[in-house]
């Protein structure tokens, strides 16, 4: 299965579009927990946790805040088997599809296809040869949703959202495993057949080839770096090296 997560922080920076789930992803990346709450519930149980975007999950924890979610008094009792399952769901960043369906559909409604434009830019490459740092300026390419961006090449691409859910089963060794669905245009197609989604349950692809978006193509082979672009400095020298930014896939289930 292809990687499904993407770096929404950079995507929002590029597009300037508020995505409800972006705040959730940024918060969960910190994995910081708050203070523990007092709890008089006996036996194993999981409290309901919710975040500002309306997503909810059950965690077998007593933290006041956890991964960007706030603890509620509501809880469900857990069997020994369910304790293991909920720990697995937490580890894999999985939440219930049915419990979050309204919020997920609202997010999908925001996720409209959009056009990106290719542009070129100059970048300084710094490399150490012996005890000497050499700098050279090369041409790189990236994509933007700004039709008025400088140095546009005239190339465009249509960016399209795909969605995915999953089920969780125990394998022959008694270990929980994730079985992901196919990628679909509408997550409603998966309701009833799949139980969970990852906290990042969609990705963006180039609709022409169905490949994930790549935001840096590398140097144009036709671009020749002249000797005048090469600078030699001592190995302790520093330079301003510019990098292209854009969404990048992280990891799969």
């Amino acid at each position: 299965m292809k990687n499904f997560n993407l770096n929404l922080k950079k995507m929002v920076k590029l597009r300037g579009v508020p995505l409800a789930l972006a705040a959730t992803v940024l918060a969960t990346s910190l994995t910081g927990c708050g203070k523990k709450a007092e709890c008089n519930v006996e036996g194993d149980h999981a409290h309901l946790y919710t975040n500002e975007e309306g997503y909810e999950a059950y965690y077998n924890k007593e933290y006041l805040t956890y991964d960007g979610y706030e603890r509620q008094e509501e809880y469900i009792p857990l069997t020994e088997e369910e304790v293991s399952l909920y720990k697995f769901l937490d580890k894999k960043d999985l939440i219930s599809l049915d419990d979050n369906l309204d919020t997920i559909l609202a997010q999908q409604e925001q996720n409209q296809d959009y056009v990106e434009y290719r542009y070129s830019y100059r970048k300084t490459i710094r490399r150490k040869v012996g005890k000497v740092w050499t700098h050279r300026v090369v041409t790189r390419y990236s994509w933007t949703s700004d039709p008025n961006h400088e140095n546009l090449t005239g190339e465009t691409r249509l960016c399209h959202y795909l969605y995915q859910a999953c089920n969780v089963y125990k394998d022959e060794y008694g270990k929980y495993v994730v079985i992901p669905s196919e990628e679909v245009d509408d997550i409603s197609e998966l309701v009833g057949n799949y139980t969970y989604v990852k906290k990042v349950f969609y990705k963006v692809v180039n609709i022409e080839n169905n490949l994930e978006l790549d935001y840096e193509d590398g140097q144009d082979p036709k671009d020749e770096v002249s000797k005048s672009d090469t600078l030699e400095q001592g190995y302790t020298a520093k330079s301003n090296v510019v990098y292209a930014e854009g969404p990048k896939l992280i990891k799969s289930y």
Side-chain angles (χ1 to χ4, degrees):
M1 178 57 58
K2 294 181 180 178
N3 290 337
F4 200 71
N5 288 340
L6 57 83
N7 189 327
L8 287 179
K9 181 179 179 181
K10 290 185 177 179
M11 181 177 176
V12 172
K13 182 176 180 181
L14 277 173
R15 294 189 55 201
V17 176
L19 299 177
L21 194 59
T24 303
V25 177
L26 297 180
T28 56
S29 66
L30 301 177
T31 61
C33 303
K35 297 180 180 179
K36 284 193 172 182
E38 293 184 5
C39 183
N40 298 320
V41 179
E42 296 182 358
D44 291 322
H45 60 280
H47 277 278
L48 173 67
Y49 282 74
T50 61
N51 68 11
E52 294 181 354
E53 288 71 45
Y55 292 92
E56 60 182 54
Y58 282 91
Y59 293 116
N60 179 222
K61 299 180 182 298
E62 297 297 345
Y63 293 111
L64 291 173
T65 60
Y66 180 72
D67 281 0
Y69 286 68
E70 294 187 1
R71 177 184 178 275
Q72 309 298 321
E73 290 301 318
E74 181 180 337
Y75 71 91
I76 55 175
L78 299 178
T79 64
E80 183 176 348
E81 176 73 18
E82 289 171 332
V83 169
S84 298
L85 172 61
Y86 276 79
K87 286 182 178 179
F88 180 82
L89 298 178
D90 181 15
K91 178 181 178 181
K92 294 296 184 178
D93 280 339
L94 298 178
I95 59 177
S96 169
L97 173 57
D98 287 343
D99 291 349
N100 293 281
L101 185 56
D102 288 343
T103 307
I104 289 171
L105 291 177
Q107 178 63 53
Q108 180 176 272
E109 185 67 23
Q110 292 186 43
N111 293 348
Q112 300 298 315
D113 290 357
Y114 59 96
V115 175
E116 285 191 335
Y117 307 85
R118 194 168 186 245
Y119 68 94
S120 65
Y121 63 96
R122 302 290 278 173
K123 174 180 176 180
T124 300
I125 301 296
R126 186 168 179 248
R127 187 172 126 190
K128 188 176 181 181
V129 180
K131 292 186 177 181
V132 176
W133 283 104
T134 62
H135 296 177
R136 64 173 185 169
V137 180
V138 297
T139 299
R140 291 285 190 263
Y141 295 87
S142 191
W143 297 83
T144 177
S145 58
D146 179 8
N148 298 312
H149 196 284
E150 61 182 7
N151 300 323
L152 295 178
T153 67
E155 299 168 84
T156 62
R157 65 183 180 188
L158 181 60
C159 304
H160 177 65
Y161 289 87
L162 291 176
Y163 301 87
Q164 191 175 47
C166 66
N167 284 321
V168 173
Y169 298 103
K170 272 193 171 181
D171 64 14
E172 57 186 301
Y173 305 104
K175 302 292 185 181
Y176 286 111
V177 294
V178 177
I179 309 297
S181 71
E182 295 182 356
E183 297 164 354
V184 297
D185 298 320
D186 183 352
I187 200 166
S188 298
E189 300 174 25
L190 306 177
V191 175
N193 295 316
Y194 291 89
T195 307
Y196 304 103
V197 293
K198 290 187 74 70
K199 290 178 180 177
V200 180
F201 53 87
Y202 59 84
K203 69 178 181 181
V204 188
V205 299
N206 183 342
I207 199 170
E208 183 176 343
N209 53 27
N210 216 39
L211 296 177
E212 292 89 351
L213 302 184
D214 179 10
Y215 280 85
E216 185 167 4
D217 298 333
Q219 184 177 359
D220 187 333
K222 296 180 181 180
D223 182 60
E224 297 291 338
V225 180
S226 65
K227 293 183 178 179
S228 61
D229 285 332
T230 302
L231 304 175
E232 292 189 357
Q233 299 181 1
Y235 67 93
T236 58
K238 296 181 179 180
S239 66
N240 294 322
V241 182
V242 181
Y243 297 93
E245 293 188 350
K248 294 184 179 179
L249 296 168
I250 302 174
K251 59 181 180 180
S252 62
Y253 288 101

